[in-house]
Amino acid sequence: MAEILHRIGATTTPGTVYAALTTIDGLAGWWTVKTKDAGDDVIRFRFDAPHGEDGFDMKVLETVPAELVRWEVVDGPAEWIGTRIRFDLKQEDDFTVVLFKHEGWREPVEFMYHCSTKWATFLMSLKEFAETGSGHPAPDDVQISNWH
Amino acid sequence: MAEILHRIGATTTPGTVYAALTTIDGLAGWWTVKTKDAGDDVIRFRFDAPHGEDGFDMKVLETVPAELVRWEVVDGPAEWIGTRIRFDLKQEDDFTVVLFKHEGWREPVEFMYHCSTKWATFLMSLKEFAETGSGHPAPDDVQISNWH
């Protein structure tokens, strides 16, 4: 099993980062503006694609205020379904550190290389959003390659 | 064994990206301005640190023009020594795609989370350098956390 790991730190409180990970307005502020509560603890994330939309549905598995958020991917690209994502938060100096893990990839396919870099740029958007109230969610996200 | 994967695409030729990965001026243009040929196929990368400098020495294991660059870390932080880095290049549409792998990590320690995100921002600097001739090498690199 392969996994994607990242670490960022935002100069704000753990509570502020936690809100950015657990509210629709927060998630829409750094990942994709098309974020919706789909009921039954599922959050629906959508992105504009060449022929319509694509995206991910995340089941919220666990939340611990200001400390932890865990999701499982219940719909989306085949490579993502069944994978799990976690955000661990902790305070260090003036920073809230986020340890990010996207685990359970069956194979390190080229799409996983892409998703790793894309997660990094979205986590930098999370940092910016948590620090300033304004990030770069899709469709205003950073283009990293021909796969966007 | 754990690994860091990334994928970027630059709107330029494979030859231009290859030059950015195999010449001192190229490497100094996107990773760190303190890049030196240390002889015996070793390239020395240094970064300003709170008390002096730290960094990495890379042994060049293999180069295939416009296609592949492989390094082994021969000096640097304990977690990096003996790990290997590869850049595979290919042309797709108007892009040169870079598949990056940093493999051989013994454990997915917190420093690996940090290095994964840091590599992403440096690879975005490589993209920018390859496309425009100007990147964001250290000490002008993007700060991602309290670990810089």
Side-chain angles (χ1 to χ4, degrees):
Chain A
M1 289 292 204
E3 59 194 18
I4 294 168
L5 308 175
H6 287 297
R7 181 186 189 278
I8 58 155
T11 51
T12 184
T13 63
T16 301
V17 176
Y18 182 77
L21 295 172
T22 52
T23 64
I24 299 300
D25 283 353
L27 292 160
W30 64 270
W31 198 14
T32 174
V33 297
K34 295 186 174 177
T35 299
K36 266 195 214 171
D37 183 342
D40 287 331
D41 296 323
V42 172
I43 308 172
R44 182 157 294 157
F45 300 94
R46 289 295 178 270
F47 301 82
D48 293 326
H51 303 288
E53 288 185 346
D54 56 23
F56 318 101
D57 285 1
M58 302 289 185
K59 176 89 172 175
V60 179
L61 298 180
E62 187 180 2
T63 56
V64 181
E67 281 184 23
L68 176 66
V69 173
R70 291 203 304 120
W71 298 335
E72 180 173 342
V73 182
V74 292
D75 201 4
E79 298 91 336
W80 277 54
I81 294 177
T83 61
R84 291 168 307 284
I85 290 162
R86 66 182 291 156
F87 303 85
D88 283 276
L89 313 183
K90 60 178 174 175
Q91 181 126 32
E92 280 184 13
D93 316 323
D94 296 331
F95 289 79
T96 294
V97 170
V98 181
L99 295 180
F100 169 90
K101 184 192 290 193
H102 183 176
E103 64 188 341
W105 288 77
R106 287 171 287 280
E107 298 290 337
V109 291
E110 187 169 346
F111 184 48
M112 184 178 167
Y113 287 67
H114 167 77
C115 293
S116 176
T117 314
K118 202 73 194 175
W119 270 128
T121 61
F122 279 121
L123 290 165
M124 290 301 288
S125 171
L126 166 62
K127 169 178 164 64
E128 190 184 359
F129 176 74
E131 290 175 345
T132 71
S134 178
H136 284 85
D140 184 31
D141 52 327
V142 179
Q143 182 172 3
I144 64 170
S145 75
N146 55 332
W147 289 359
H148 198 99
Chain B
M1 290 291 204
E3 59 194 19
I4 295 168
L5 308 176
H6 287 297
R7 181 185 189 278
I8 57 155
T11 52
T12 185
T13 63
T16 300
V17 176
Y18 182 78
L21 295 172
T22 53
T23 65
I24 299 301
D25 283 353
L27 291 160
W30 64 270
W31 198 14
T32 174
V33 297
K34 295 187 174 177
T35 299
K36 265 196 216 169
D37 183 343
D40 290 330
D41 294 323
V42 171
I43 309 173
R44 183 157 294 157
F45 300 95
R46 290 294 178 273
F47 301 81
D48 293 328
H51 304 287
E53 287 185 346
D54 56 23
F56 318 101
D57 285 0
M58 302 288 183
K59 177 90 171 174
V60 180
L61 297 181
E62 187 180 1
T63 55
V64 181
E67 282 184 22
L68 177 66
V69 173
R70 291 204 304 121
W71 299 334
E72 180 172 343
V73 182
V74 292
D75 201 4
E79 298 91 336
W80 277 54
I81 294 176
T83 61
R84 291 168 306 286
I85 290 162
R86 65 182 292 156
F87 302 86
D88 283 276
L89 314 183
K90 60 178 175 176
Q91 182 127 32
E92 280 184 13
D93 317 322
D94 296 332
F95 289 80
T96 294
V97 170
V98 181
L99 294 181
F100 170 89
K101 184 191 289 192
H102 184 176
E103 64 188 341
W105 289 77
R106 287 170 287 278
E107 298 291 337
V109 291
E110 186 169 347
F111 185 47
M112 184 177 167
Y113 287 67
H114 168 77
C115 293
S116 175
T117 315
K118 202 73 193 174
W119 270 127
T121 60
F122 279 122
L123 290 165
M124 291 300 288
S125 172
L126 166 62
K127 170 179 164 65
E128 190 184 358
F129 176 74
E131 290 176 345
T132 70
S134 178
H136 284 85
D140 183 31
D141 53 325
V142 179
Q143 183 172 2
I144 64 170
S145 75
N146 54 333
W147 287 0
H148 197 100

